Amino acid sequence: MSLLVAKNLTKKFKNKVAVNHIDFQINAGELIAFLGPNGAGKSTTIGMLVGILKPDDGKISLHGLSPNQKNYHHQIGIVFQNSVLDDNLSVQDNLNIRAHLYQKIDSSFVKKIIKLFGIDLILNQKYKTLSGGQKRRVDIARALLHQPKLLFLDEPSSGLDIQTRNKIWETLNRLRKEYGLTILLTTHYLEEAENADYVYIIDRGEIKASGDVQKLKLKYTTSLLTLWSDQMDQLKHQIHYKYQAIDQHQIKVNIDDDSDAINLIASLKPLIKHFEYQHGTMNDLFVKLTGKGIR
Ligand SMILES: Nc1ncnc2c1ncn2[C@@H]1O[C@H](COP(=O)(O)OP(=O)(O)OP(=O)(O)O)[C@@H](O)[C@H]1O
């Protein structure tokens, strides 16, 4: 079921078209990723979705509500790239100020969020004294206090180490499971987009492709089957795919489909000593669609 629908969304800054007539939808409970390089238009899109930027054209609807309606804002939580919390206040005070903006706050849910994000031990610490990972956990917890349906995360992982990233995702995935939280994230991190249910690949303000990550990879990338053999001449003779001979014992074969790989290995079994199979990566996909790597 679609939670948010955006149609023909467009934003210009003077003559620069930052977001160019894009359409997308976010289904309830899904993790959606907007993947794109610097300047692709990801933050501008989020800005319009959270109501801080006015689109030049297009329409946004969250269950029939638009971003200029108060009820829209009760249903969303936002974590911006740069924190908006008060450096000189404690974590607790920052959370209280936010909570007071809402008429109804479920205090048992707030307690749960504080516990889940592991910030119960730093509640009295000033925000500015926290580490990068602690700050990010507090930012996300603050955005969730009113139990929104949809959480926007604009580059939530930039600058965080892998352990902190994993810990944050563990908690977010738990909330998705227990409360059906829907998440839209923008990211440069290919691994992060890889975990999404649905990905929009954005470049120069346009959606270059969208879909299920695995299906996109299958459609736009080729996998690589590396074979090692002592009978290379015979082996080459039997391969009808594009290949590259690495040395006299090793060959790399381009394969479109897993079942082709299985059939090829089965038919060449007596000639193969060893093999390795690698699927196309998100980076291959990105290069294919935009002509450049993501990083
Ligand atoms: N306030 C603004 N005034 C003028 N141009 C802007 C403004 N905000 C964004 N832009 C331009 O719009 C384009 C899209 O920028 P945006 O910040 O949305 O990209 P992004 O995909 O979020 O990039 P990043 O990953 O670096 O955050 C860029 O060319 C940027 O320079």
Side-chain angles (χ1 to χ4, degrees):
M1 194 182 62
S2 68
L3 178 64
L4 184 143
V5 179
K7 285 214 163 88
N8 203 28
L9 211 53
T10 304
K11 182 72 191 170
K12 289 181 203 144
F13 296 106
K14 295 195 177 134
N15 293 330
K16 164 107 210 165
V17 183
V19 175
N20 197 358
H21 301 279
I22 63 172
D23 296 315
F24 58 90
Q25 74 171 46
I26 301 169
N27 291 331
E30 282 186 344
L31 170 62
I32 307 287
F34 278 11
L35 176 68
N38 288 125
K42 305 180 298 293
S43 298
T44 306
T45 305
I46 295 260
M48 291 188 278
L49 294 176
V50 303
I52 55 170
L53 288 175
K54 196 172 167 330
D56 290 303
D57 201 358
K59 202 167 174 247
I60 297 163
S61 165
L62 190 152
H63 278 169
L65 296 166
S66 65
N68 54 17
Q69 290 178 280
K70 200 173 168 197
N71 277 345
Y72 183 102
H73 292 272
H74 285 177
Q75 309 211 29
I76 63 170
I78 313 156
V79 180
F80 293 107
Q81 268 181 53
N82 300 315
S83 175
V84 290
L85 275 73
D86 192 323
D87 261 342
N88 289 309
L89 292 182
S90 68
V91 170
Q92 182 76 70
D93 287 345
N94 267 299
L95 297 182
N96 287 347
I97 288 172
R98 185 76 198 168
H100 281 129
L101 293 179
Y102 300 96
Q103 275 171 348
K104 272 195 252 156
I105 286 274
D106 175 350
S107 57
S108 66
F109 183 75
V110 172
K111 275 191 198 134
K112 178 159 187 174
I113 288 290
I114 287 174
K115 187 116 192 82
L116 278 179
F117 282 96
I119 51 182
D120 36 352
L121 298 175
I122 50 169
L123 281 173
N124 296 320
Q125 221 171 305
K126 276 191 182 167
Y127 183 77
K128 69 176 171 195
T129 65
L130 303 179
S131 70
Q134 288 172 329
K135 280 185 176 164
R136 194 36 52 109
R137 273 157 34 209
V138 175
D139 296 344
I140 299 175
R142 176 184 175 271
L144 290 169
L145 294 178
H146 59 297
Q147 226 176 315
K149 287 200 175 80
L150 172 58
L151 178 67
F152 293 102
L153 297 171
D154 198 5
E155 312 238 348
S157 300
S158 29
L160 300 184
D161 61 60
I162 185 85
Q163 285 90 342
T164 310
R165 255 195 269 168
N166 288 344
K167 192 96 193 70
I168 288 176
W169 277 107
E170 223 179 274
T171 310
L172 288 170
N173 284 331
R174 189 162 161 189
L175 291 167
R176 288 183 64 204
K177 221 173 171 177
E178 287 183 25
Y179 297 94
L181 178 68
T182 307
I183 300 177
L184 169 63
L185 84 131
T186 71
T187 186
H188 293 251
Y189 288 102
L190 299 155
E191 320 84 72
E192 211 163 35
E194 198 125 35
N195 295 326
D197 296 307
Y198 202 87
V199 61
Y200 288 94
I201 297 185
I202 303 192
D203 192 30
R204 297 190 182 138
E206 290 175 4
I207 294 173
K208 299 290 178 189
S210 66
D212 170 278
V213 175
Q214 296 313 325
K215 284 191 188 144
L216 281 178
K217 280 207 267 181
L218 262 182
K219 185 167 173 192
Y220 291 106
T221 70
T222 44
S223 299
L224 211 53
L225 177 65
T226 309
L227 301 172
W228 282 264
S229 171
D230 288 333
Q231 293 147 278
M232 197 49 90
D233 288 339
Q234 270 175 278
L235 190 101
K236 281 183 189 168
H237 201 65
Q238 293 189 41
I239 294 180
H240 305 294
Y241 296 94
K242 204 172 147 196
Y243 67 78
Q244 189 193 355
I246 303 300
D247 58 36
Q248 52 188 5
H249 296 290
Q250 193 189 148
I251 193 167
K252 287 188 185 289
V253 188
N254 292 340
I255 302 270
D256 285 330
D257 198 288
D258 290 1
S259 60
D260 289 347
I262 295 169
N263 292 338
L264 189 63
I265 293 168
S267 71
L268 297 174
K269 197 173 165 198
L271 303 174
I272 301 172
K273 271 179 80 183
H274 177 60
F275 75 89
E276 208 173 78
Y277 186 56
Q278 268 178 311
H279 282 123
T281 63
M282 284 296 276
N283 201 46
D284 297 338
L285 174 62
F286 203 81
V287 171
K288 181 90 184 177
L289 290 166
T290 67
K292 55 182 182 270
I294 183 102
R295 281 190 263 224

